[in-house]
Amino acid sequence: QDAATLFKTKCAMCHGAEGQGKPSVAPKLAGTTKTEAAIAAVLTRGGEPKSPHIKPMSSVTPEQATALAAFVKTLK
């Protein structure tokens, strides 16, 4: 699966189709200052306080997390 499709199926329902975020649901990802490595780490290891990502996303492989992180960094 390409990263855009992964984002659509695994992230967009909470973070919005363009990464714009949804109030009271999930933060904006477009324009994030997090590095690709930090984004991938949140997906694979968890650790994001007060969010569904406090735990790792078991449905995302490390390779998918890396691809998703790169895609998130393209969102403006």
Side-chain angles (χ1 to χ4, degrees):
Q1 262 182 330
D2 69 273
T5 301
L6 279 170
F7 185 86
K8 183 178 178 182
T9 60
K10 299 197 180 282
C11 310
M13 71 282 291
C14 295
H15 291 285
E18 303 297 321
Q20 72 274 19
K22 293 185 179 179
S24 302
V25 177
K28 177 181 173 182
L29 295 178
T32 184
T33 58
K34 287 184 187 258
T35 64
E36 287 183 30
I39 295 166
V42 166
L43 296 174
T44 58
R45 293 195 300 256
E48 191 67 22
K50 297 182 182 179
S51 84
H53 298 301
I54 196 161
K55 294 184 179 181
M57 286 185 71
S58 60
S59 64
V60 174
T61 67
E63 294 79 17
Q64 289 172 325
T66 299
L68 282 167
F71 180 77
V72 165
K73 292 301 286 185
T74 69
L75 300 173
K76 304 287 179 202

